Amino acid sequence: MDRFMKAALDEARQGLAEGGIPIGSVLVHEGTIVGRGHNRRVQNGSAVLHAEMDALENAGRLPASVYRQSVLYTTLSPCAMCSGAVLLYGIPKVVIGENLTFMGEEALLRLRGVELDLLQDEECIALMRGFIEARPELWNEDIGVP
């Protein structure tokens, strides 16, 4: 596992330790993490703070040129909202820890020219499987399932 996915996984573990959903993300520009975050919907009572959104928020306001030269790392396949942010800001590449527990909008991202690198990392898979088994109601809430 490279250091950026490890940083995203560390974020996911932090989210779980806080009582939240264990998904983490980092935004990398020219080999440097410029934003990091984890799912904070539970902790902040938020409707939108998925890990990718938190990483973008924590990166702060950046010029469009920075987004267009960045890579977003996320432990889980990005949902429609987070994929929309990738497209809006023109992030050209997303490295995905796994998509076995949740398949996000990968087809849309590929269709719109975003390069995807899918790792199927065992640690990412085990973390999400364990969480979904332990807290199915919270997981369903996060992905919009009644």
Side-chain angles (χ1 to χ4, degrees):
M1 174 183 307
D2 77 21
R3 66 187 173 115
F4 300 124
M5 185 54 70
K6 182 182 179 325
L9 191 55
D10 288 345
E11 285 288 329
R13 288 187 181 115
Q14 182 178 341
L16 183 63
E18 294 170 357
I21 298 164
I23 304 167
S25 183
V26 296
L27 182 66
V28 177
H29 179 253
E30 295 182 346
T32 301
I33 295 174
V34 296
R36 58 190 318 131
H38 51 272
N39 187 305
R40 294 179 196 262
R41 288 187 71 247
V42 173
Q43 300 92 310
N44 289 19
S46 172
V48 298
L49 274 183
H50 282 187
E52 300 89 340
M53 303 299 279
D54 193 40
L56 290 169
E57 177 70 15
N58 290 329
R61 188 172 160 199
L62 300 171
S65 60
V66 171
Y67 295 114
R68 295 183 184 282
Q69 298 169 355
S70 293
V71 178
L72 184 69
Y73 287 75
T74 181
T75 58
L76 186 65
S77 184
C79 73
M81 176 178 63
C82 298
S83 294
V86 167
L87 296 175
L88 177 67
Y89 291 110
I91 298 169
K93 181 175 180 178
V94 179
V95 179
I96 300 167
E98 65 104 351
N99 69 0
L100 297 179
T101 60
F102 177 78
M103 171 63 75
E105 296 297 324
E106 294 177 27
L108 173 63
L109 290 170
R110 282 192 185 96
L111 180 68
R112 297 283 297 272
V114 176
E115 178 186 348
L116 302 181
D117 185 2
L118 179 59
L119 304 180
Q120 299 301 24
D121 179 81
E122 290 301 322
E123 289 180 77
C124 293
I125 294 166
L127 187 62
M128 279 310 298
R129 282 188 174 153
F131 175 77
I132 292 168
E133 183 177 315
R135 300 291 310 272
E137 74 294 339
L138 188 54
W139 172 240
N140 287 337
E141 175 193 317
D142 195 62
I143 59 173
V145 174

